[in-house]
Amino acid sequence: MTPPKHIWSGNWENESEEDARRRAEAEAERRAHPQPDPAEAPTTVGRAYAPSPDADGDAPRRRPSRGRIAAFTTVALLAVGGGAFAAGTLLDNDDDSATKIARPAALPAVASKPIKPTRGQTRAGAIYAQASPAVVSIRNGQGSGTGFLIDDEGTLVTNDHVVDTAKTVQVKFGTDGRTINGNVKGVDPSSDLAVVHIDASSIPSGAKPLQFADSTGVSVGDVAIAIGNPFGLDRTVTEGIVSSLGRTLQAPNGFQIDDVIQTDAAINPGNSGGPLLDDGGKVIGVNSQIATNGVSAGNVGIGFAVPSNTVRQVLPGLKDGRTVQHAWLGVETAQTVTGSMTAGAQIASVVTGGPAESGGLQAGDVVTRIDGQRINDASDLSSYINTKAPDDKITLTVERNGSKSDVDVTLKNRPAKIP
Protein backbone atom coordinates (compact mmCIF):
# COMPACT_ATOMS: atom_id res chain seq x y z
CA MET A 1 0.00 0.00 0.00
CA THR A 2 1.36 3.42 -0.95
CA PRO A 3 0.76 5.79 1.96
CA PRO A 4 -1.08 9.05 1.31
CA LYS A 5 1.23 11.93 0.50
CA HIS A 6 -1.05 14.81 1.39
CA ILE A 7 -2.72 13.89 4.65
CA TRP A 8 -2.07 17.35 6.06
CA SER A 9 -2.90 19.71 3.24
CA GLY A 10 -3.00 23.03 5.04
CA ASN A 11 0.17 25.08 4.98
CA TRP A 12 2.80 22.49 5.80
CA GLU A 13 4.06 22.22 2.23
CA ASN A 14 4.85 25.94 2.28
CA GLU A 15 6.97 25.75 5.40
CA SER A 16 10.70 25.90 4.98
CA GLU A 17 12.99 23.17 6.23
CA GLU A 18 14.07 25.60 8.92
CA ASP A 19 10.47 25.99 10.11
CA ALA A 20 10.05 22.21 10.25
CA ARG A 21 13.27 21.86 12.24
CA ARG A 22 12.23 24.60 14.66
CA ARG A 23 8.84 23.02 15.24
CA ALA A 24 10.38 19.61 15.85
CA GLU A 25 12.80 21.08 18.39
CA ALA A 26 9.96 22.90 20.14
CA GLU A 27 7.97 19.68 20.46
CA ALA A 28 10.99 17.83 21.81
CA GLU A 29 11.34 20.52 24.46
CA ARG A 30 7.64 20.22 25.32
CA ARG A 31 7.94 16.47 25.71
CA ALA A 32 10.88 16.95 28.07
CA HIS A 33 8.77 19.35 30.16
CA PRO A 34 5.18 18.04 30.27
CA GLN A 35 3.58 21.33 31.34
CA PRO A 36 3.06 23.29 28.11
CA ASP A 37 4.15 26.91 27.84
CA PRO A 38 1.65 28.88 25.69
CA ALA A 39 4.45 31.18 24.53
CA GLU A 40 6.38 28.35 22.88
CA ALA A 41 6.30 27.84 19.14
CA PRO A 42 3.38 25.62 18.09
CA THR A 43 3.74 22.06 16.89
CA THR A 44 2.29 21.13 13.53
CA VAL A 45 -0.47 18.58 13.97
CA GLY A 46 -2.60 16.58 11.54
CA ARG A 47 -5.81 14.67 12.16
CA ALA A 48 -5.48 10.91 12.09
CA TYR A 49 -7.79 10.38 9.14
CA ALA A 50 -7.10 8.41 5.97
CA PRO A 51 -8.25 9.46 2.48
CA SER A 52 -9.94 6.85 0.34
CA PRO A 53 -7.47 5.10 -1.98
CA ASP A 54 -7.88 4.96 -5.72
CA ALA A 55 -8.71 1.63 -7.34
CA ASP A 56 -4.99 0.82 -7.62
CA GLY A 57 -4.53 1.38 -3.90
CA ASP A 58 -2.63 4.67 -4.17
CA ALA A 59 -3.71 7.83 -2.44
CA PRO A 60 -5.71 10.24 -4.59
CA ARG A 61 -3.52 12.70 -6.50
CA ARG A 62 -6.12 15.44 -6.47
CA ARG A 63 -6.18 17.16 -3.11
CA PRO A 64 -9.71 17.87 -1.84
CA SER A 65 -10.69 21.41 -0.93
CA ARG A 66 -10.11 22.60 2.61
CA GLY A 67 -13.80 23.19 3.10
CA ARG A 68 -14.81 19.71 2.00
CA ILE A 69 -12.33 17.66 4.01
CA ALA A 70 -11.73 19.25 7.38
CA ALA A 71 -9.63 16.22 8.26
CA PHE A 72 -6.75 17.42 6.09
CA THR A 73 -6.17 20.87 7.55
CA THR A 74 -2.94 21.75 9.29
CA VAL A 75 -3.53 22.40 12.97
CA ALA A 76 -1.27 24.03 15.56
CA LEU A 77 -1.25 23.36 19.28
CA LEU A 78 -2.46 26.41 21.19
CA ALA A 79 -3.45 27.81 17.80
CA VAL A 80 -5.97 30.30 19.10
CA GLY A 81 -3.72 31.97 21.61
CA GLY A 82 -3.84 29.64 24.60
CA GLY A 83 -7.52 29.07 25.09
CA ALA A 84 -9.79 32.11 25.06
CA PHE A 85 -11.92 30.33 22.50
CA ALA A 86 -12.14 27.16 24.58
CA ALA A 87 -15.33 25.17 24.94
CA GLY A 88 -17.82 26.30 27.52
CA THR A 89 -20.44 24.42 29.45
CA LEU A 90 -22.52 22.46 26.97
CA LEU A 91 -26.21 22.90 26.29
CA ASP A 92 -28.41 21.47 23.58
CA ASN A 93 -30.45 23.52 21.18
CA ASP A 94 -33.41 21.91 19.43
CA ASP A 95 -33.03 22.63 15.71
CA ASP A 96 -36.79 23.21 15.42
CA SER A 97 -36.79 25.90 18.07
CA ALA A 98 -34.57 28.75 19.17
CA THR A 99 -35.39 27.94 22.80
CA LYS A 100 -32.45 26.76 24.86
CA ILE A 101 -33.12 23.54 26.75
CA ALA A 102 -31.26 21.78 29.51
CA ARG A 103 -28.77 19.25 28.24
CA PRO A 104 -29.33 15.53 28.92
CA ALA A 105 -27.36 13.98 31.74
CA ALA A 106 -23.86 12.89 30.79
CA LEU A 107 -23.26 9.25 30.01
CA PRO A 108 -22.10 7.37 33.11
CA ALA A 109 -18.46 6.64 33.83
CA VAL A 110 -17.62 3.07 34.79
CA ALA A 111 -14.96 2.03 37.29
CA SER A 112 -12.16 0.22 35.54
CA LYS A 113 -10.34 -2.88 36.78
CA PRO A 114 -7.27 -4.16 34.92
CA ILE A 115 -8.03 -7.05 32.61
CA LYS A 116 -6.10 -10.17 33.57
CA PRO A 117 -4.69 -11.95 30.53
CA THR A 118 -4.98 -15.70 30.31
CA ARG A 119 -1.88 -17.84 30.36
CA GLY A 120 0.25 -17.10 27.33
CA GLN A 121 -1.76 -13.98 26.50
CA THR A 122 -0.39 -10.44 26.66
CA ARG A 123 -2.24 -7.59 28.35
CA ALA A 124 -2.72 -5.85 25.00
CA GLY A 125 -3.99 -9.12 23.54
CA ALA A 126 -6.56 -9.51 26.30
CA ILE A 127 -7.82 -5.95 25.90
CA TYR A 128 -7.96 -6.34 22.13
CA ALA A 129 -9.92 -9.58 22.37
CA GLN A 130 -12.52 -7.90 24.54
CA ALA A 131 -12.80 -4.51 22.81
CA SER A 132 -12.01 -4.98 19.12
CA PRO A 133 -15.34 -6.57 18.06
CA ALA A 134 -17.02 -3.22 18.89
CA VAL A 135 -14.61 -1.20 16.71
CA VAL A 136 -15.74 -0.34 13.18
CA SER A 137 -14.41 1.29 10.05
CA ILE A 138 -16.34 4.31 8.78
CA ARG A 139 -16.24 5.65 5.22
CA ASN A 140 -17.87 8.86 4.06
CA GLY A 141 -17.10 8.63 0.34
CA GLN A 142 -14.08 10.90 0.71
CA GLY A 143 -12.02 8.95 3.21
CA SER A 144 -12.06 6.45 6.02
CA GLY A 145 -11.75 6.52 9.78
CA THR A 146 -12.75 4.54 12.84
CA GLY A 147 -15.70 4.41 15.22
CA PHE A 148 -16.91 2.24 18.08
CA LEU A 149 -20.16 0.90 19.49
CA ILE A 150 -21.36 2.31 22.83
CA ASP A 151 -24.79 0.68 23.32
CA ASP A 152 -27.06 -2.11 22.10
CA GLU A 153 -29.21 0.38 20.18
CA GLY A 154 -26.66 0.83 17.41
CA THR A 155 -25.02 4.07 18.57
CA LEU A 156 -21.49 4.61 17.26
CA VAL A 157 -19.00 7.29 18.28
CA THR A 158 -16.48 8.80 15.87
CA ASN A 159 -14.88 12.15 15.02
CA ASP A 160 -16.70 15.02 13.39
CA HIS A 161 -13.94 15.25 10.81
CA VAL A 162 -14.45 11.58 9.89
CA VAL A 163 -18.09 12.03 8.86
CA ASP A 164 -17.40 15.56 7.56
CA THR A 165 -20.57 16.84 5.85
CA ALA A 166 -22.02 13.40 5.10
CA LYS A 167 -25.53 12.49 6.25
CA THR A 168 -24.95 8.77 5.74
CA VAL A 169 -21.74 6.73 6.00
CA GLN A 170 -20.66 3.14 5.38
CA VAL A 171 -19.91 1.11 8.50
CA LYS A 172 -18.15 -2.22 8.70
CA PHE A 173 -17.45 -4.56 11.64
CA GLY A 174 -14.20 -6.37 10.84
CA THR A 175 -12.72 -7.40 7.52
CA ASP A 176 -15.36 -10.04 6.87
CA GLY A 177 -18.34 -8.04 8.03
CA ARG A 178 -20.91 -6.69 5.60
CA THR A 179 -21.17 -3.00 4.81
CA ILE A 180 -23.89 -1.29 6.83
CA ASN A 181 -25.46 2.08 6.13
CA GLY A 182 -25.13 4.43 9.07
CA ASN A 183 -27.07 7.65 9.63
CA VAL A 184 -25.18 10.61 11.08
CA LYS A 185 -27.35 11.66 14.01
CA GLY A 186 -25.34 14.64 15.22
CA VAL A 187 -21.98 16.37 14.97
CA ASP A 188 -20.13 18.81 17.21
CA PRO A 189 -17.19 20.45 15.38
CA SER A 190 -16.16 22.21 18.61
CA SER A 191 -15.26 18.89 20.27
CA ASP A 192 -14.60 16.99 17.01
CA LEU A 193 -17.19 14.37 17.93
CA ALA A 194 -20.03 12.76 16.00
CA VAL A 195 -22.68 10.10 16.53
CA VAL A 196 -23.66 7.57 13.87
CA HIS A 197 -26.63 5.23 14.20
CA ILE A 198 -27.01 1.79 12.65
CA ASP A 199 -29.88 -0.67 12.94
CA ALA A 200 -29.48 -2.69 16.11
CA SER A 201 -30.13 -5.88 14.17
CA SER A 202 -26.91 -5.24 12.23
CA ILE A 203 -24.69 -5.50 15.32
CA PRO A 204 -22.65 -8.73 15.26
CA SER A 205 -23.31 -11.07 18.16
CA GLY A 206 -19.74 -10.78 19.44
CA ALA A 207 -19.66 -6.97 19.55
CA LYS A 208 -20.02 -5.82 23.14
CA PRO A 209 -20.50 -2.03 23.56
CA LEU A 210 -17.52 -0.20 25.01
CA GLN A 211 -17.88 1.74 28.26
CA PHE A 212 -16.36 5.06 29.31
CA ALA A 213 -13.96 5.62 32.18
CA ASP A 214 -13.68 8.89 34.09
CA SER A 215 -10.85 10.71 32.32
CA THR A 216 -10.03 12.73 35.44
CA GLY A 217 -8.73 9.47 36.91
CA VAL A 218 -6.15 9.07 34.14
CA SER A 219 -2.52 9.65 35.09
CA VAL A 220 0.65 10.15 33.10
CA GLY A 221 2.32 6.78 32.64
CA ASP A 222 -0.93 4.80 32.57
CA VAL A 223 -1.35 2.11 29.94
CA ALA A 224 -2.96 3.32 26.71
CA ILE A 225 -4.28 0.98 24.00
CA ALA A 226 -5.45 2.32 20.63
CA ILE A 227 -7.60 0.29 18.24
CA GLY A 228 -8.40 1.60 14.79
CA ASN A 229 -8.00 1.31 11.04
CA PRO A 230 -4.73 3.06 10.12
CA PHE A 231 -4.34 3.26 6.35
CA GLY A 232 -7.36 0.98 6.08
CA LEU A 233 -5.70 -1.86 8.01
CA ASP A 234 -8.67 -3.27 9.90
CA ARG A 235 -8.75 -3.07 13.71
CA THR A 236 -5.06 -2.58 14.30
CA VAL A 237 -4.03 -2.46 17.97
CA THR A 238 -1.12 -0.44 19.33
CA GLU A 239 0.07 -0.11 22.92
CA GLY A 240 1.73 2.76 24.75
CA ILE A 241 1.27 4.99 27.73
CA VAL A 242 -0.42 8.26 28.57
CA SER A 243 2.38 10.71 27.78
CA SER A 244 0.78 13.87 29.10
CA LEU A 245 -2.53 15.40 30.15
CA GLY A 246 -4.22 18.77 29.75
CA ARG A 247 -3.13 19.36 26.16
CA THR A 248 -5.13 21.57 23.80
CA LEU A 249 -6.00 21.01 20.15
CA GLN A 250 -7.68 22.96 17.41
CA ALA A 251 -11.13 21.63 16.54
CA PRO A 252 -12.47 21.38 12.97
CA ASN A 253 -14.23 24.74 13.31
CA GLY A 254 -11.06 26.44 14.54
CA PHE A 255 -11.98 26.62 18.22
CA GLN A 256 -10.12 24.79 20.95
CA ILE A 257 -10.52 21.37 22.58
CA ASP A 258 -9.34 21.27 26.20
CA ASP A 259 -8.01 18.56 28.53
CA VAL A 260 -6.74 16.46 25.63
CA ILE A 261 -4.86 13.23 26.40
CA GLN A 262 -1.46 12.75 24.77
CA THR A 263 -0.23 9.21 24.09
CA ASP A 264 2.69 7.48 22.43
CA ALA A 265 0.49 4.56 21.33
CA ALA A 266 0.99 4.59 17.57
CA ILE A 267 -1.83 6.45 15.83
CA ASN A 268 -1.84 7.00 12.07
CA PRO A 269 -4.21 8.30 9.40
CA GLY A 270 -7.35 6.16 9.67
CA ASN A 271 -7.25 5.89 13.49
CA SER A 272 -9.45 8.97 13.87
CA GLY A 273 -12.61 8.26 15.85
CA GLY A 274 -11.27 5.07 17.40
CA PRO A 275 -11.06 4.35 21.14
CA LEU A 276 -8.11 4.96 23.40
CA LEU A 277 -8.47 2.38 26.17
CA ASP A 278 -7.08 1.90 29.66
CA ASP A 279 -5.82 -1.39 31.06
CA GLY A 280 -9.38 -2.37 31.92
CA GLY A 281 -10.59 -1.96 28.35
CA LYS A 282 -12.58 1.19 29.20
CA VAL A 283 -12.55 4.20 26.88
CA ILE A 284 -10.47 7.12 28.19
CA GLY A 285 -10.51 9.08 24.94
CA VAL A 286 -11.37 9.25 21.25
CA ASN A 287 -8.26 9.33 19.06
CA SER A 288 -8.35 12.47 16.96
CA GLN A 289 -5.03 13.98 15.92
CA ILE A 290 -1.34 13.22 15.56
CA ALA A 291 1.75 15.41 15.61
CA THR A 292 4.11 15.54 12.67
CA ASN A 293 7.31 17.41 11.96
CA GLY A 294 5.69 18.91 8.88
CA VAL A 295 7.40 16.48 6.51
CA SER A 296 6.60 12.93 7.60
CA ALA A 297 3.06 11.60 7.15
CA GLY A 298 3.59 8.81 9.68
CA ASN A 299 3.46 8.37 13.42
CA VAL A 300 6.18 10.04 15.46
CA GLY A 301 4.95 8.87 18.85
CA ILE A 302 2.73 11.86 19.63
CA GLY A 303 -1.00 11.25 19.38
CA PHE A 304 -3.97 13.03 20.93
CA ALA A 305 -7.39 11.91 22.11
CA VAL A 306 -10.50 13.88 23.09
CA PRO A 307 -11.01 12.97 26.78
CA SER A 308 -13.80 10.60 27.72
CA ASN A 309 -15.47 13.13 30.04
CA THR A 310 -15.95 15.51 27.12
CA VAL A 311 -17.33 12.62 25.08
CA ARG A 312 -19.68 11.57 27.87
CA GLN A 313 -21.05 15.09 28.12
CA VAL A 314 -21.57 15.73 24.42
CA LEU A 315 -22.92 12.39 23.22
CA PRO A 316 -26.43 12.33 24.75
CA GLY A 317 -27.40 15.50 22.89
CA LEU A 318 -25.82 14.34 19.63
CA LYS A 319 -27.59 11.01 19.93
CA ASP A 320 -30.89 12.91 20.07
CA GLY A 321 -29.95 14.96 17.01
CA ARG A 322 -29.53 18.20 18.95
CA THR A 323 -26.99 20.94 18.39
CA VAL A 324 -24.52 21.42 21.20
CA GLN A 325 -23.98 24.99 22.41
CA HIS A 326 -20.74 26.30 23.91
CA ALA A 327 -20.20 29.43 25.94
CA TRP A 328 -18.10 32.03 24.11
CA LEU A 329 -16.16 35.05 25.36
CA GLY A 330 -14.96 36.31 21.98
CA VAL A 331 -11.29 37.06 22.60
CA GLU A 332 -7.94 35.68 21.59
CA THR A 333 -5.24 35.54 24.25
CA ALA A 334 -1.73 36.47 23.19
CA GLN A 335 0.27 35.09 26.08
CA THR A 336 0.49 34.32 29.74
CA VAL A 337 1.84 37.30 31.66
CA THR A 338 4.32 36.41 34.44
CA GLY A 339 7.35 37.81 36.23
CA SER A 340 7.41 41.44 37.25
CA MET A 341 4.20 42.15 35.36
CA THR A 342 0.74 41.31 36.68
CA ALA A 343 0.13 37.57 36.30
CA GLY A 344 -2.81 36.67 34.11
CA ALA A 345 -3.99 36.12 30.54
CA GLN A 346 -3.31 38.98 28.17
CA ILE A 347 -5.85 39.62 25.43
CA ALA A 348 -4.37 39.83 21.93
CA SER A 349 -7.57 40.78 20.12
CA VAL A 350 -11.30 41.16 20.67
CA VAL A 351 -13.83 39.84 18.16
CA THR A 352 -15.95 42.58 16.65
CA GLY A 353 -19.52 42.26 17.89
CA GLY A 354 -18.57 39.56 20.39
CA PRO A 355 -19.47 39.52 24.08
CA ALA A 356 -16.04 40.76 25.19
CA GLU A 357 -16.24 43.83 22.96
CA SER A 358 -19.79 44.53 24.12
CA GLY A 359 -18.55 44.39 27.72
CA GLY A 360 -15.71 46.83 27.05
CA LEU A 361 -12.68 44.53 26.97
CA GLN A 362 -9.79 45.70 24.81
CA ALA A 363 -6.68 44.20 23.24
CA GLY A 364 -3.82 44.45 25.72
CA ASP A 365 -6.00 43.96 28.79
CA VAL A 366 -4.63 41.41 31.26
CA VAL A 367 -7.34 39.28 32.87
CA THR A 368 -6.34 38.55 36.47
CA ARG A 369 -9.64 37.27 37.94
CA ILE A 370 -13.06 36.06 36.83
CA ASP A 371 -15.87 36.23 39.38
CA GLY A 372 -13.19 36.61 42.01
CA GLN A 373 -11.32 33.45 40.97
CA ARG A 374 -7.63 33.90 40.26
CA ILE A 375 -6.56 33.64 36.59
CA ASN A 376 -2.86 32.84 36.44
CA ASP A 377 -2.58 32.07 32.75
CA ALA A 378 -4.44 31.57 29.49
CA SER A 379 -5.36 28.01 30.45
CA ASP A 380 -7.13 29.25 33.58
CA LEU A 381 -9.17 31.64 31.46
CA SER A 382 -10.11 28.82 29.12
CA SER A 383 -10.99 26.48 31.96
CA TYR A 384 -13.24 29.01 33.66
CA ILE A 385 -15.19 29.80 30.49
CA ASN A 386 -15.46 26.03 30.12
CA THR A 387 -17.64 25.92 33.24
CA LYS A 388 -20.14 28.48 31.93
CA ALA A 389 -23.09 28.49 29.55
CA PRO A 390 -24.34 30.95 26.90
CA ASP A 391 -26.15 33.91 28.51
CA ASP A 392 -24.22 33.52 31.77
CA LYS A 393 -22.91 36.80 33.17
CA ILE A 394 -19.33 36.96 34.42
CA THR A 395 -17.16 39.69 35.93
CA LEU A 396 -13.56 39.94 34.78
CA THR A 397 -10.94 41.85 36.72
CA VAL A 398 -8.53 43.35 34.22
CA GLU A 399 -5.40 45.46 34.36
CA ARG A 400 -5.14 48.16 31.72
CA ASN A 401 -2.31 50.67 31.61
CA GLY A 402 -1.44 50.01 35.23
CA SER A 403 -4.99 50.37 36.55
CA LYS A 404 -7.36 47.60 37.58
CA SER A 405 -11.09 47.56 36.89
CA ASP A 406 -14.00 45.11 36.76
CA VAL A 407 -15.69 44.41 33.45
CA ASP A 408 -19.08 42.68 33.25
CA VAL A 409 -19.62 40.42 30.24
CA THR A 410 -22.60 38.32 29.14
CA LEU A 411 -21.37 35.20 27.36
CA LYS A 412 -22.89 34.20 24.03
CA ASN A 413 -23.28 30.96 22.11
CA ARG A 414 -20.19 30.16 20.12
CA PRO A 415 -20.50 30.83 16.37
CA ALA A 416 -20.15 27.98 13.90
CA LYS A 417 -16.54 28.96 13.26
CA ILE A 418 -14.02 31.52 14.45
CA PRO A 419 -15.05 34.94 13.07
Side-chain angles (χ1 to χ4, degrees), residues 85 87 90 160 187-193 249-258 310 324-326 414-416:
F85 288 104
L90 309 180
D160 167 76
V187 297
D188 181 32
S190 286
S191 60
D192 197 12
L193 295 171
L249 293 177
Q250 192 179 60
N253 62 358
F255 287 98
Q256 183 171 290
I257 304 172
D258 290 326
T310 297
V324 178
Q325 293 185 336
H326 301 260
R414 180 183 294 177

Side-chain angles (χ1 to χ4, degrees), residues 45 120 122 160 163 175 274-275 284 330 419:
V45 180
T122 65
D160 167 76
V163 301
T175 53
I284 58 173

Side-chain angles (χ1 to χ4, degrees), residues 351-362:
V351 177
T352 301
E357 184 189 57
S358 299
L361 287 173
Q362 299 177 10

Side-chain angles (χ1 to χ4, degrees), residues 36-399:
D37 181 354
E40 289 181 349
T43 300
T44 303
V45 180
R47 293 182 178 86
Y49 175 86
S52 292
D54 290 335
D56 61 0
D58 289 338
R61 295 178 178 82
R62 183 183 62 214
R63 201 183 316 142
S65 70
R66 187 172 184 174
R68 287 288 298 167
I69 304 298
F72 297 146
T73 58
T74 295
V75 184
L77 288 176
L78 310 176
V80 278
F85 288 104
T89 294
L90 309 180
L91 297 169
D92 295 304
N93 185 49
D94 192 328
D95 290 336
D96 296 328
S97 169
T99 303
K100 186 170 62 179
I101 59 176
R103 69 174 184 263
L107 294 177
V110 178
S112 186
K113 295 177 60 177
I115 293 176
K116 294 182 179 180
T118 60
R119 186 173 182 178
Q121 188 181 41
T122 65
R123 174 180 55 192
I127 295 171
Y128 180 82
Q130 176 177 296
S132 64
V135 179
V136 302
S137 66
I138 295 179
R139 292 184 176 274
N140 69 5
Q142 298 288 340
S144 65
T146 304
F148 57 96
L149 184 71
I150 63 165
D151 60 32
D152 292 323
E153 300 170 4
T155 303
L156 304 171
V157 174
T158 188
N159 282 140
D160 167 76
H161 74 260
V162 168
V163 301
D164 196 26
T165 59
K167 300 300 182 184
T168 60
V169 293
Q170 289 72 53
V171 175
K172 197 172 184 179
F173 286 88
T175 53
D176 299 326
R178 62 187 179 89
T179 299
I180 305 164
N181 288 328
N183 296 315
V184 178
K185 295 290 292 184
V187 297
D188 181 32
S190 286
S191 60
D192 197 12
L193 295 171
V195 165
V196 174
H197 182 266
I198 60 173
D199 193 287
S201 64
S202 301
I203 302 173
S205 58
K208 184 179 180 180
L210 301 185
Q211 297 175 308
F212 293 98
D214 180 350
S215 55
T216 62
V218 176
S219 299
V220 173
D222 285 356
V223 170
I225 302 288
I227 303 178
N229 302 286
F231 300 109
L233 299 172
D234 174 67
R235 293 188 297 186
T236 297
V237 62
T238 53
E239 181 178 17
I241 62 170
V242 172
S243 303
S244 189
L245 298 168
R247 298 303 197 193
T248 56
L249 293 177
Q250 192 179 60
N253 62 358
F255 287 98
Q256 183 171 290
I257 304 172
D258 290 326
D259 299 322
V260 171
I261 297 171
Q262 179 184 333
T263 180
D264 68 349
I267 298 172
N268 283 290
N271 274 108
S272 277
L276 186 68
L277 306 165
D278 64 12
D279 59 4
K282 301 299 186 290
V283 178
I284 58 173
V286 175
N287 299 318
S288 182
Q289 298 183 18
I290 55 178
T292 173
N293 59 14
V295 177
S296 170
N299 175 269
V300 293
I302 305 173
F304 304 96
V306 179
S308 59
N309 283 7
T310 297
V311 185
R312 291 170 48 228
Q313 191 177 47
V314 170
L315 290 191
L318 295 183
K319 183 179 176 181
D320 292 340
R322 296 172 180 167
T323 302
V324 178
Q325 293 185 336
H326 301 260
W328 180 56
L329 179 59
V331 302
E332 180 181 355
T333 52
Q335 61 183 355
T336 296
V337 179
T338 58
S340 60
M341 301 176 65
T342 300
Q346 187 175 47
I347 297 175
S349 62
V350 177
V351 177
T352 301
E357 184 189 57
S358 299
L361 287 173
Q362 299 177 10
D365 287 350
V366 178
V367 180
T368 60
R369 293 182 182 275
I370 303 181
D371 295 334
Q373 180 173 314
R374 184 70 189 164
I375 301 298
N376 294 308
D377 52 33
S379 294
D380 284 351
L381 175 59
S382 168
S383 296
Y384 193 86
I385 299 302
N386 199 32
T387 68
K388 296 298 179 179
D391 298 329
D392 279 354
K393 293 179 174 60
I394 60 175
T395 299
L396 299 94
T397 301
V398 302
E399 180 169 313

